[in-house]
Amino acid sequence: MPSRRRTALALGSAVAAIALLAAPISATAEPSPYTTGADGAGDPYFPLAGNGGTDVLHYDLDLDYTPAPPDPAPIEGHLDGVATIDLVPTQNLSRFNLDLRGLTATVVTVSGKPATFTQTDNELAITPTKKLKAGKKTQVVVTYGGTTTRPTDIEGALYGWVTTRDGAMVVNEPEGSGTWFPVNDHPTDKATYSFEITVPEGLVAVANGLPSDPATTVDGKSTWYWDAPDPMAAYLATASVGDYVVDEYVAENGTPIFDAVDPARLGAPSEDLALTSDMLVFFESLYGPYPFNSYGAIVDDDSVGYALETQTRSFFSRTASEGTVAHELAHQWMGNHVSPHRWADIWLNEGWATYSTWMWTEHRGGDTAQVSFADYLTIPADDPEWDLAIADPGPLGLFANPVYDRGAATLHALRVKIGDEEFFELAQTWVERFGGGTASTADFIALSEEVSGQDLEAFFDAWIYTPEKPVSW
Ligand code: ARG
Ligand code: ZN
């Protein structure tokens, strides 16, 4: 085993030992005390992302939004929200947190009773009048609101609720959801969602899943209703707003499609977007049934500088090229249905999505995956491309090029090593076994070894743990 895995195991058993020590010794266990839920989910890359002590089941988000006024006014909008959150305490709780940033909570109730609360940078700390018992489902209602701006992530890229003149682009990877609703913002706490989004008449509000009711218009405001019943990580939630043109159809595999395209971008992406139906059929043949109730694209005329695989409704900045359409669709299986357990596991998202476009290109008669792989390996050994151990890229390296391309090359090398049959069995078992939840790099290595019957320690050491160009594996 490579040393890192040994460390992880050692840590695991140390934690188990501590848990044993902490367990009550007498047979008549003392009731465990009521304590404060942690302010983070325990992800080393983003210590304040998510929270401890609660498991959210459902978010019902009732939003009322006004975009920024015309130029030259500052690009600031206004958002008022009521978030109704069903959750289960995972410990006896005297207090617990939700992530909320840049917006102000005004009223909080827990189980229908007013609660006290305080807000700091990324945290809304809630003290219910009556303490919460582990395992007993409760409902938290947060009324909140404020001015929306154009938030940026630790790399300086736009993310979260990004205000535009004609709406908002809403893309939260990795931990930007707190810029628009109170949330347990970590992939390990997936939940279902419903939305009721009110915007000025003439604008379209597009969220995840499918419309649950037709939009209604009263007094110059339209309300859009969405239901997203498939468990979803918070970074994949969206509620983008724009003067979109809507196109609804059913793909060849039976998946209902809802596309929303800015009129200024209608000509450009249509041919590439139209390949979605064929791509669904192709990726189902590789990875198994499409995991969600719907799909579609949001193409905005504003840009955050990248595309995002928002669940069931991928977001594209201005253009949706064929490669990007394939990439974001493949993420629905790889990243969305099976999500990273920790943000360090991001290469499994981006490697699979990138490798999927290599396979799509081959399917379309372009370069074979083998040619794309060989091309990548022409990068000289002293190139900085090889300086990143992609299994631990660091919070600033989440979207670095090697996470994508070396990730894809790792998967191709694995395919060659274990054989096509085993490789696609691995892909499908991965989706089947971990779909609906999260999985780690250690889970992937273990499953690869299980399916292939091979010892893959040296392989993964060379490809994902060593910051050098792999020479033998
Ligand atoms: N997951 C997105 C994709 O596959 C990339 C998100 C990039 N985000 C960023 N802040 N640079 O294309
Ligand atoms: Zn991606």
Side-chain angles (χ1 to χ4, degrees):
M1 271 198 200
S3 54
R4 297 145 205 93
R5 277 190 285 152
R6 235 183 276 122
T7 313
L9 274 180
L11 204 65
S13 29
V15 169
I18 290 165
L20 272 179
L21 283 176
I25 294 157
S26 66
T28 49
E30 295 281 311
S32 62
Y34 286 81
T35 52
T36 300
D39 59 5
D43 194 311
Y45 284 13
F46 301 98
L48 288 182
N51 302 282
T54 54
D55 172 13
V56 175
L57 308 176
H58 185 78
Y59 296 93
D60 179 64
L61 303 178
D62 188 343
L63 308 176
D64 190 319
Y65 178 61
T66 309
D71 203 36
I75 308 184
E76 289 176 353
H78 189 88
L79 182 65
D80 282 316
V82 178
T84 303
I85 303 170
D86 297 323
L87 60 80
V88 178
T90 56
Q91 67 187 61
N92 285 338
L93 283 173
S94 52
R95 195 180 88 194
F96 63 95
N97 280 23
L98 291 166
D99 301 326
L100 184 64
R101 197 183 331 157
L103 297 171
T104 307
T106 50
V107 182
V108 178
T109 66
V110 179
S111 308
K113 305 241 168 20
T116 57
F117 55 94
T118 56
Q119 265 188 277
T120 51
D121 223 9
N122 189 58
E123 303 295 316
L124 170 65
I126 300 172
T127 307
T129 28
K130 197 164 167 280
K131 294 185 170 84
L132 303 181
K133 222 176 156 38
K136 190 160 178 278
K137 188 172 148 180
T138 185
Q139 191 170 71
V140 180
V141 181
V142 181
T143 305
Y144 64 100
T147 301
T148 64
T149 56
R150 292 167 69 84
T152 48
D153 66 14
I154 57 164
E155 281 189 84
L158 289 170
Y159 83 150
W161 188 280
V162 180
T163 306
T164 62
R165 302 250 177 235
D166 66 352
M169 303 177 282
V170 184
V171 286
N172 320 303
E173 193 181 21
E175 33 68 89
S177 294
T179 63
W180 60 286
F181 65 102
V183 56
N184 233 351
D185 195 1
H186 195 268
T188 44
D189 190 8
K190 293 190 179 184
T192 55
Y193 286 69
S194 47
F195 306 83
E196 194 177 314
I197 310 159
T198 301
V199 292
E201 184 176 358
L203 295 183
V204 179
V206 196
N208 313 86
L210 284 172
S212 49
D213 278 300
T216 53
T217 299
V218 181
D219 293 339
K221 285 186 163 201
S222 298
T223 302
W224 295 77
Y225 305 89
W226 293 89
D227 186 32
D230 301 306
M232 176 162 77
Y235 76 96
L236 299 168
T238 192
S240 288
V241 177
D243 54 349
Y244 305 123
V245 174
V246 166
D247 184 19
E248 289 183 78
Y249 63 98
V250 177
E252 208 180 309
N253 72 333
T255 299
I257 308 291
F258 188 107
D259 286 339
V261 179
D262 190 284
R265 308 306 303 167
L266 268 181
S270 54
E271 276 169 35
D272 293 334
L273 268 193
L275 291 168
T276 298
S277 180
D278 289 349
M279 289 176 182
L280 274 163
V281 172
F282 178 64
F283 290 133
E284 283 197 336
S285 77
L286 302 183
Y287 304 142
Y290 178 72
F292 304 130
N293 76 340
S294 59
Y295 192 59
I298 301 166
V299 184
D300 209 303
D301 63 332
D302 289 292
S303 171
V304 292
Y306 55 86
L308 185 71
E309 62 270 22
T310 26
Q311 189 157 303
T312 68
R313 192 112 323 112
S314 292
F315 180 88
F316 299 87
S317 293
R318 298 201 179 119
T319 42
S321 66
E322 181 174 339
T324 314
V325 171
H327 180 109
E328 307 311 337
L329 176 58
H331 268 309
Q332 305 302 317
W333 288 261
M334 303 300 193
N336 296 7
H337 194 39
V338 183
S339 302
H341 190 62
R342 291 286 177 254
W343 282 107
D345 302 317
I346 187 77
W347 78 274
L348 285 162
N349 280 22
E350 301 308 344
W352 272 113
T354 304
Y355 191 52
S356 299
T357 65
W358 290 9
M359 292 191 284
W360 170 255
T361 301
E362 173 171 340
H363 176 73
R364 290 268 282 164
D367 281 351
T368 61
Q370 179 59 37
V371 165
S372 300
F373 176 75
D375 267 2
Y376 186 64
L377 281 187
T378 62
I379 299 175
D382 61 358
D383 192 286
E385 177 75 16
W386 303 110
D387 293 352
L388 190 71
I390 58 173
D392 189 12
L396 289 165
L398 286 186
F399 307 112
N401 193 66
V403 169
Y404 289 73
D405 291 347
R406 186 170 174 165
T410 299
L411 294 170
H412 186 77
L414 180 64
R415 176 177 169 185
V416 173
K417 186 163 181 80
I418 69 177
D420 273 21
E421 203 179 305
E422 289 76 5
F423 180 78
F424 289 106
E425 187 191 329
L426 165 65
Q428 288 180 17
T429 311
W430 179 246
V431 171
E432 236 174 68
R433 192 173 294 178
F434 297 102
T438 60
S440 65
T441 298
D443 291 326
F444 187 70
I445 295 172
L447 187 61
S448 301
E449 292 187 336
E450 178 189 318
V451 168
S452 68
Q454 292 188 33
D455 176 353
L456 296 169
E457 176 187 338
F459 175 89
F460 283 107
D461 249 356
W463 275 99
I464 67 173
Y465 289 117
T466 307
E468 283 166 26
K469 183 172 179 176
V471 283
S472 64
W473 55 84

